[in-house]
Amino acid sequence: MLDIVNLHAGIDDGTAIRPILHGLDLSVKAGEVHAVMGPNGSGKSTLAQLLAGRDSYRVTAGSVQYLGRNLLELPPEERARAGIFLAFQYPVEIPGVANIYLLKAAVNAVRTHRGEAELDAIDILALVRDKLKFMGMDEALLYRAVNQGFSGGEKKRNEILQMALLEPKLAILDETDSGLDIDALKIVADGIAAMRSPQRAIILVTHYQRLLDYIVPDRVHVLAQGRIALSGGPELAQELERRGYGWVDTASATRVGATA
Amino acid sequence: MTTAELRLEDLIGRDYRQGFFTTLETDTVRRGLDEDVVRLISAKKNEPAFMCEWRLKAFRHWLTLAEPRWSSVTHPPIDYQAISYYSAPKSRKDGPQSLADVDPELLRTYEKLGVPLQERALLAGVAVDAVFDSVSVATTFKDKLAELGIVFCSFSEAVQEHPDLVRQYLGSVVPYTDNYFAALNSAVFSDGSFCYIPPGLRCPMELSTYFRINAMNTGQFERTLIVADRGSYVSYLEGCTAPMRDENQLHAAVVELVALDDAQIKYATVQNWYPGDKDGKGGIYNFVTKRGDCRGANSRISWTQVETGSAITWKYPSVILQGDDSVGEFRSVALTNHYQQADTGTKMIHLGRNTKSTIISKGIAAGHGHNAYRGLVRVARSAYGARNYTQCDSLLLGDTCAAHTFPYIEVKNPSARVEHEATTSRIGEDQLFYCQSRGLTPEDAVSMIVNGFCKDVFKELPMEFAVEAQKLLGVSLEGSIG
Ligand SMILES: Nc1ncnc2c1ncn2[C@@H]1O[C@H](COP(=O)(O)OP(=O)(O)O)[C@@H](O)[C@H]1O
Ligand SMILES: [Mg+2]
């Protein structure tokens, strides 16, 4: 579904491009769940936002194929319509725009793209109510301005609510588990787990093993210094939990050494 | 590198697609202004002596005034002697001969705004008979209204047919001494609308369709007078969302509203004149004096405006709350893009007891636009129990635009309660990206955010107008902002 090859990218600060990713390779197939871990500042959000199309991140080399197409050619809204969803690490507030309104616009943008009829306010509401309950969210949040004055947990749940409604093919969740208490984490994790399906790929960006206790990933990758330093099965996450990221450098060095 | 490079600057930097220039031949009086020109205007309009006298007094007063300098707008000096102050109704023969000759971009705009076919031709200045359809519709309306005793006609007609009403109310809200532009307007005003609703009558229709058509020929010094007699009600819609053809750079209109006991006037405006190009060249200067007088007890006047056009807008629709328990309302959306400047707001003058006023101002600035809210709330010593609530929000798109708020509050009665809230927010790249990542185009995202911001004002517009206003912002955002 997603093939990233030798990706070099950086942030465009207006005058120059400051490199962040240095030759990243990642391949994700439909039905798989991949966890991407790594220390702060290693480039996880850069990767996530770049895949969603944020244009302040510039690709300087490498390629990204999504469902056989060059993903990098598409503007963000076309990526979304083609089934890519990013749950933001820091969901954005939009004053004056009711949450339900954005949900409706988003669902209909995707439906129109798929050649399906648009849903009216009543259909949307019926659809949303169902998911809302599952996410343990108060209906009042639908009528508040998008993310404005939402607690950290409410924001993260709202992201998962959007994902549930949009039914993406590739979901990228950027630290959706950060800042949640145990109860909220369980709800969010259940929400994500419910989305797991043979047709869908999920990339979980996380720092913590605890989310992976609920959603056991097929693959775990450690991002360090702008590339995948180490990959493994679910046990890699547990090892990281025990040893911390400091261990990755030596581990990757020895593994690279071993295979050389 | 990617095609996903549509930045906010690109989005708001697009051209106004609605502007167009064609010069029409007109029967114009020589340029410049003196007493002879004022007399000539009055004579050409066959006005009674009192009108001519009034115009001359206004002119003499104007000579003693200097152009106001206190607002935040700047423009090159206006040469008042270079303007012709009288044009006969314009000949259509030099305009486009059919819709096929009209700028297709303009037609596309009309289509997007849902302007009816026959009106498109009219607005684009096409010399076709389609106009007559609309005019006859207007005449039918007028006859129906006349049966009820409602007077609704052009100002010139009112001067001829109802001189006593005109004489009684003209200048009673905005005297010619009020300000520079009001004095100028009083001296030379060309035409406008007049409306009188008799006691106890609820005007059964929005006075809009007729006005739209009527407004075509009112020229640059327009004058409107609306009188709602005791217990009557009228809702009045001025302007239209479609850009109108206009070669006059300076517009100085005056609108006077009078509400007697228990009467209510709702006045809504949508203004979309040519704002100038993206370098700030051309565009209309719109210096308007609009004021309502809640003269009777328990009367109510509300102004609702959506301003997206003009290079410079200078406009403060106000309410004088004389009658006890009277209510004044002002709701405004003002959008400035490119080098547009708007200095707009309101004045609420509380004189009567238990008078209430509400002010909701939404300023949107993009490009190099400057948007200032200037509002005065004055509570006189006599205004026991007066209340005002002001909410003043600014939305910025990009970082080269500016918004300012100048609230003036003068309270002479300690029992008054005056509340003021103000916010400024910015549509950021992060908000656009967030919406885009949910499948919305940048245009739809900006439109959604801006419409959300304007919700409190739009919901006060008559339904049909509200839909138009939303479309207008959509189109303006696409055409001028995004
Ligand atoms: N918008 C930005 N402006 C400047 N630097 C940035 C920006 N985004 C990311 N960076 C830098 O890029 C590096 C990677 O950041 P990020 O992708 O957010 O890491 P992570 O999500 O793994 O914590 C960091 O050094 C960070 O400071
Ligand atoms: Mg991050």
Side-chain angles (χ1 to χ4, degrees):
Chain A
M1 177 172 289
L2 180 73
D3 284 295
I4 305 174
V5 179
N6 190 31
L7 184 66
H8 291 257
I11 180 96
D12 186 348
D13 67 7
T15 52
I17 296 177
R18 207 193 112 201
I20 300 173
L21 301 178
H22 310 276
L24 184 143
D25 296 291
L26 182 65
S27 229
V28 181
K29 293 194 183 61
E32 292 180 346
V33 174
H34 288 232
V36 174
M37 308 182 76
N40 285 328
S42 57
K44 303 184 297 296
S45 292
T46 300
L47 175 64
Q49 302 235 343
L50 187 148
L51 291 177
R54 180 150 211 157
D55 82 334
S56 45
Y57 294 106
R58 297 305 166 103
V59 173
T60 49
S63 69
V64 180
Q65 294 280 316
Y66 168 69
L67 294 173
R69 304 167 69 178
N70 176 4
L71 183 69
L72 301 177
E73 276 175 4
L74 302 177
E77 65 272 21
E78 283 180 30
R79 299 185 195 195
R81 292 168 189 192
I84 291 183
F85 179 87
L86 169 64
F88 282 56
Q89 182 175 3
Y90 304 108
V92 178
E93 301 184 0
I94 309 179
V97 176
N99 204 21
I100 184 76
Y101 194 87
L102 175 64
L103 290 173
K104 178 167 174 257
V107 167
N108 283 332
V110 170
R111 287 182 68 91
T112 306
H113 180 78
R114 289 183 194 148
E116 296 165 3
E118 291 199 2
L119 297 183
D120 63 19
I122 295 169
D123 294 341
I124 291 276
L125 206 56
L127 197 66
V128 172
R129 280 211 177 106
D130 201 41
K131 314 269 183 198
L132 209 57
K133 210 174 296 162
F134 190 73
M135 293 309 298
M137 289 168 75
D138 190 341
E139 194 168 327
L141 288 177
L142 294 179
Y143 305 103
R144 300 238 311 258
V146 177
N147 291 322
Q148 205 177 28
F150 286 25
S151 71
E154 284 168 342
K155 284 183 182 172
K156 296 299 177 81
R157 288 187 214 193
N158 201 37
E159 295 291 290
I160 301 304
L161 175 72
Q162 293 175 1
M163 173 174 74
L165 286 168
L166 294 174
E167 300 181 330
K169 294 195 176 85
L170 170 63
I172 305 158
L173 310 181
D174 192 357
E175 295 203 28
T176 303
D177 54 339
S178 295
L180 295 180
D181 60 35
I182 303 288
D183 295 340
L185 178 69
K186 168 114 179 52
I187 290 169
V188 163
D190 286 345
I192 298 169
M195 295 295 290
R196 199 167 186 169
S197 105
Q199 283 79 45
R200 181 171 292 127
I202 301 177
I203 299 175
L204 291 176
V205 174
T206 180
H207 274 299
Y208 306 106
Q209 169 60 34
R210 51 182 198 167
L211 178 66
L212 305 181
D213 290 339
Y214 293 102
I215 310 155
V216 179
D218 298 295
R219 298 289 289 163
V220 175
H221 311 277
V222 182
L223 192 56
Q225 277 128 37
R227 62 163 70 99
I228 303 290
L230 206 56
S231 297
E235 72 289 345
L236 177 57
Q238 278 151 16
E239 199 158 356
L240 283 169
E241 185 90 342
R242 278 201 311 278
R243 303 207 192 183
Y245 293 121
W247 156 79
V248 172
D249 286 342
T250 39
S252 71
T254 50
R255 284 193 199 188
V256 170
T259 50
Chain B
M1 170 124 321
T2 68
T3 55
E5 288 174 5
L6 196 54
R7 287 173 161 270
L8 196 53
E9 286 75 31
D10 301 332
L11 212 56
I12 62 183
R14 292 199 199 153
D15 293 339
Y16 182 82
R17 295 178 184 162
Q18 305 166 8
F20 56 105
F21 304 95
T22 313
T23 36
L24 274 183
E25 215 174 84
T26 50
D27 165 18
T28 8
V29 164
R30 70 178 160 79
R31 289 163 192 276
L33 188 54
D34 55 28
E35 292 205 2
D36 287 343
V37 169
V38 174
R39 283 198 187 88
L40 185 69
I41 291 170
S42 191
K44 284 222 180 213
K45 299 173 83 64
N46 195 28
E47 289 179 347
F50 83 88
M51 281 299 304
C52 188
E53 273 314 302
W54 193 75
R55 285 178 184 272
L56 284 169
K57 275 192 267 179
F59 173 69
R60 287 169 200 145
H61 186 75
W62 180 71
L63 290 176
T64 69
L65 301 175
E67 224 181 283
R69 293 259 170 265
W70 47 264
S71 81
S72 63
V73 307
T74 53
H75 56 82
I78 299 169
D79 182 355
Y80 293 90
Q81 295 304 332
I83 297 172
S84 334
Y85 288 86
Y86 180 84
S87 312
K90 286 160 193 168
S91 156
R92 292 182 174 276
K93 68 178 193 297
D94 294 336
Q97 293 305 306
S98 77
L99 276 177
D101 299 337
V102 173
D103 180 0
E105 281 297 316
L106 185 73
L107 294 180
R108 220 168 55 81
T109 305
Y110 288 158
E111 196 176 304
K112 280 196 196 144
L113 289 169
V115 176
L117 267 175
Q118 67 272 28
E119 276 184 46
R120 286 181 207 176
L122 185 73
L123 290 164
V126 174
V128 290
D129 292 349
V131 174
F132 297 130
D133 279 358
S134 316
V135 171
S136 61
V137 169
T139 316
T140 322
F141 276 144
K142 236 177 93 177
D143 291 348
K144 268 204 198 118
L145 293 171
E147 274 170 37
L148 295 167
I150 294 173
V151 179
F152 184 39
C153 58
S154 72
F155 211 102
S156 310
E157 210 177 322
V159 169
Q160 303 299 324
E161 310 287 328
H162 307 277
D164 294 343
L165 280 175
V166 172
R167 193 171 194 162
Q168 186 180 352
Y169 291 106
L170 175 68
S172 74
V173 186
V174 181
Y176 60 75
T177 51
D178 193 80
N179 68 72
Y180 188 82
F181 296 110
L184 180 63
N185 175 286
S186 302
V188 303
F189 74 89
S190 37
D191 210 335
S193 293
F194 178 84
C195 175
Y196 171 80
I197 315 287
L201 206 83
R202 203 184 155 85
C203 183
M205 60 183 85
E206 312 271 0
L207 298 183
S208 63
T209 318
Y210 170 76
F211 187 77
R212 263 194 199 192
I213 295 147
N214 197 38
M216 293 304 301
N217 301 313
T218 45
Q220 62 190 132
F221 301 103
E222 193 177 325
R223 187 134 194 145
T224 299
L225 173 57
I226 299 175
V227 179
D229 213 324
R230 279 173 290 108
S232 69
Y233 166 90
V234 62
S235 166
Y236 193 87
L237 310 182
E238 174 204 337
C240 85
T241 50
M244 271 197 285
R245 171 194 195 79
D246 202 317
E247 303 112 55
N248 300 308
Q249 179 151 57
L250 174 65
H251 278 245
V254 170
V255 177
E256 297 180 277
L257 312 181
V258 180
L260 302 184
D261 288 353
D262 303 305
Q264 184 179 358
I265 302 175
K266 284 187 175 185
Y267 193 106
T269 310
V270 170
Q271 185 267 115
N272 185 23
W273 280 327
Y274 183 57
D277 68 15
K278 66 174 194 286
D279 301 319
K281 280 210 279 297
I284 305 264
Y285 297 176
N286 189 23
F287 301 131
V288 188
T289 307
K290 286 184 162 175
R291 191 173 306 149
D293 187 0
C294 281
R295 209 164 279 180
N298 214 20
S299 55
R300 188 179 189 119
I301 289 178
S302 61
W303 298 102
T304 306
Q305 59 173 28
V306 178
E307 305 269 336
T308 62
S310 297
I312 300 179
T313 302
W314 181 96
K315 176 173 174 183
Y316 315 89
S318 306
V319 184
I320 301 169
L321 297 148
Q322 286 201 62
D324 291 345
D325 302 297
S326 59
V327 177
E329 293 167 321
F330 171 79
R331 294 187 178 79
S332 164
V333 167
L335 184 148
T336 52
N337 189 21
H338 300 314
Y339 286 87
Q340 277 179 281
Q341 309 172 52
D343 193 302
T344 165
T346 185
K347 287 184 261 183
M348 293 291 173
I349 312 293
H350 292 257
L351 302 174
R353 290 168 171 258
N354 300 317
T355 45
K356 282 199 207 66
S357 61
T358 303
I359 299 171
I360 295 181
S361 162
K362 303 280 180 176
I364 303 158
H368 293 87
H370 273 253
N371 212 317
Y373 166 82
R374 189 181 301 278
L376 167 68
V377 176
R378 177 182 290 153
V379 177
R381 213 171 307 249
S382 53
Y384 289 93
R387 301 269 177 277
N388 163 267
Y389 173 73
T390 299
Q391 188 189 328
C392 191
D393 300 321
S394 307
L395 184 67
L396 306 176
L397 287 83
D399 48 20
T400 51
C401 54
H404 309 278
T405 304
F406 305 101
Y408 304 89
I409 299 171
E410 301 170 13
V411 178
K412 297 263 170 60
N413 186 308
S415 69
R417 218 167 59 207
V418 175
E419 287 173 70
H420 182 98
E421 287 176 21
T423 66
T424 300
S425 50
R426 192 181 289 276
I427 298 186
E429 300 278 353
D430 55 343
Q431 286 173 328
L432 277 186
F433 176 61
Y434 189 70
C435 293
Q436 280 181 277
S437 76
R438 300 304 181 246
L440 278 68
T441 61
E443 287 85 355
D444 288 345
V446 170
S447 181
M448 181 178 79
I449 294 168
V450 170
N451 277 309
F453 176 74
C454 300
K455 208 168 45 197
D456 292 345
V457 174
F458 287 168
K459 70 171 199 261
E460 291 302 319
L461 289 169
M463 187 57 178
E464 176 199 331
F465 226 34
V467 173
E468 280 187 31
Q470 276 199 24
K471 273 195 227 157
L472 171 62
L473 280 198
V475 172
S476 295
L477 294 166
E478 184 194 311
S480 339
I481 299 184

